[in-house]
Amino acid sequence: MTRKMAYNPLSFYFTPEGFRSDAAPPLTEILSVVRDTGYDGIHSAIPVGSTPQDYLALLKQYDLVPAPGYFQASFADTEKLPDTINTARRLAGDHARLGLDRVFIAEAFGVAPERTEKPGLGVGGSEERLSRIVEGLAKVASAMVSEGIVPCLHPHIGTRIETGDEADFILNRISAKDLLVGPDTGHLSWAGADLTDFILRHSGRIGAVHIKDYRKPVADQGMTYTAANKASIWTEPGRGSIDLEGAIKALGSFEGWFVVEVDIADQPTVPESARVAAEWLRPRLSLGRQ
């Protein structure tokens, strides 16, 4: 396995005003941009009404391959847990049919309003709630593993698994055979984690990586999540406050997917943002490898 670079086309859909699916160009145009700006693959999301086989064929037309996609849910919601498990199993089965063996998994965004109002601080955290999340997440992860896909825990600002300590709590209670780590360099840094230390402590458990950068001076102003987005908290790798080269070096012998994610393009256009990110990351994929 080699290190591969993928792009999450979130920037085509996400604006300072929020998620706007109607603002995105056709998928074929997105795939052209991802190919032309130098990526190996794209963050997998099979279009509604399509099949894994059709999606693979489409990507092949653009010389792209699928990279790990994303699953989120409120794992402590016991009433919805059976449906969550079934949905996770189906997504994992689709990933397996795409030839993948990893997927990012996160707590649902937006179900904890206090965390989007005061992001990155772990507001209202409790071990009791985390323990309930562990119970649900363990069952969901096991269902995914039964389909041949190992989920990778993805701490995310504005969710109940936001900080490095909260991620550690989960990882210490679910076996590595059922749950790997899918660190997001931007979200962990915004939540105050020592990114390099977090990566080194979990070095044998990394399953996939989201590469993104952020501006700490914006985060330090204590804005809401929405206000921080409007204030351009996110930027392309290498242009913000994170020592991403140090983080990539800390990944050592990790071989797998590096998925570039810039929520809101910090260049005049999304294609230019994708190009800037690719040109920064590609030559650095060799950092830390033994």
Side-chain angles (χ1 to χ4, degrees), residues 180-263:
L180 296 173
V181 190
D184 182 301
T185 58
H187 285 283
L188 278 167
S189 297
W190 186 354
D194 182 324
L195 183 60
T196 298
D197 175 70
F198 182 90
I199 290 170
L200 289 173
R201 284 190 292 106
H202 298 292
S203 60
R205 203 169 172 176
I206 305 294
V209 181
H210 268 191
I211 293 288
K212 66 196 306 177
D213 213 337
Y214 90 126
R215 293 187 172 97
K216 188 175 186 296
V218 176
D220 288 346
Q221 294 179 49
M223 302 179 185
T224 66
Y225 190 88
T226 299
N229 280 330
K230 291 182 178 180
S232 300
I233 190 166
W234 302 118
T235 189
E236 292 75 24
R239 301 185 71 249
S241 304
I242 305 173
D243 176 15
L244 287 177
E245 289 194 354
I248 295 172
K249 288 178 181 177
L251 285 163
S253 59
F254 166 71
E255 299 286 336
W257 280 104
F258 288 72
V259 182
V260 168
E261 187 177 85
V262 184
D263 290 26

Side-chain angles (χ1 to χ4, degrees), residues 138-166:
K139 294 175 182 177
V140 171
S142 179
M144 289 183 145
V145 169
S146 72
E147 298 290 333
I149 303 296
V150 184
C152 306
L153 183 66
H154 183 75
H156 193 292
I157 294 293
T159 76
R160 293 294 190 191
I161 307 175
E162 182 177 61
T163 68
D165 287 344
E166 288 168 339

Side-chain angles (χ1 to χ4, degrees), residues 55-286:
Y55 187 56
L56 276 174
L58 178 63
L59 296 187
K60 187 175 181 179
Q61 292 178 33
Y62 292 87
D63 296 319
L64 296 171
V65 294
Y70 193 83
F71 181 78
Q72 64 170 341
S74 182
F75 300 108
D77 189 334
T78 55
E79 183 177 342
K80 295 181 179 178
L81 188 59
D83 287 340
T84 297
I85 292 171
N86 288 334
T87 302
R89 184 179 283 112
R90 286 194 298 271
L91 183 140
D94 284 345
H95 264 54
R97 284 183 279 276
L98 292 175
L100 293 165
D101 59 2
R102 303 284 186 267
V103 67
F104 292 96
I105 193 166
E107 258 289 293
F109 178 82
V111 299
E114 68 274 18
R115 292 207 167 186
T116 53
E117 287 298 306
K118 296 181 178 180
L121 303 176
V123 172
S126 90
E127 289 196 359
E128 187 275 331
R129 183 183 293 109
L130 284 173
S131 294
R132 288 190 282 115
I133 289 173
V134 166
E135 291 180 16
L137 178 55
K139 294 175 182 177
V140 171
S142 179
M144 289 183 145
V145 169
S146 72
E147 298 290 333
I149 303 296
V150 184
C152 306
L153 183 66
H154 183 75
H156 193 292
I157 294 293
T159 76
R160 293 294 190 191
I161 307 175
E162 182 177 61
T163 68
D165 287 344
E166 288 168 339
D168 287 341
F169 185 97
I170 303 295
L171 293 166
N172 288 338
R173 288 161 176 80
I174 299 179
S175 169
K177 71 179 178 60
D178 287 334
L179 188 68
L180 296 173
V181 190
D184 182 301
T185 58
H187 285 283
L188 278 167
S189 297
W190 186 354
D194 182 324
L195 183 60
T196 298
D197 175 70
F198 182 90
I199 290 170
L200 289 173
R201 284 190 292 106
H202 298 292
S203 60
R205 203 169 172 176
I206 305 294
V209 181
H210 268 191
I211 293 288
K212 66 196 306 177
D213 213 337
Y214 90 126
R215 293 187 172 97
K216 188 175 186 296
V218 176
D220 288 346
Q221 294 179 49
M223 302 179 185
T224 66
Y225 190 88
T226 299
N229 280 330
K230 291 182 178 180
S232 300
I233 190 166
W234 302 118
T235 189
E236 292 75 24
R239 301 185 71 249
S241 304
I242 305 173
D243 176 15
L244 287 177
E245 289 194 354
I248 295 172
K249 288 178 181 177
L251 285 163
S253 59
F254 166 71
E255 299 286 336
W257 280 104
F258 288 72
V259 182
V260 168
E261 187 177 85
V262 184
D263 290 26
I264 300 174
D266 200 32
Q267 299 294 321
T269 67
V270 175
E272 189 170 351
S273 172
R275 178 187 58 76
V276 167
E279 289 179 352
W280 184 90
L281 180 58
R282 177 67 74 184
R284 291 167 173 84
L285 288 182
S286 62

Side-chain angles (χ1 to χ4, degrees), residues 39-56:
Y39 294 88
D40 304 306
I42 189 167
H43 189 273
S44 292
I46 298 172
V48 175
S50 185
T51 66
Q53 294 73 21
D54 289 342
Y55 187 56
L56 276 174

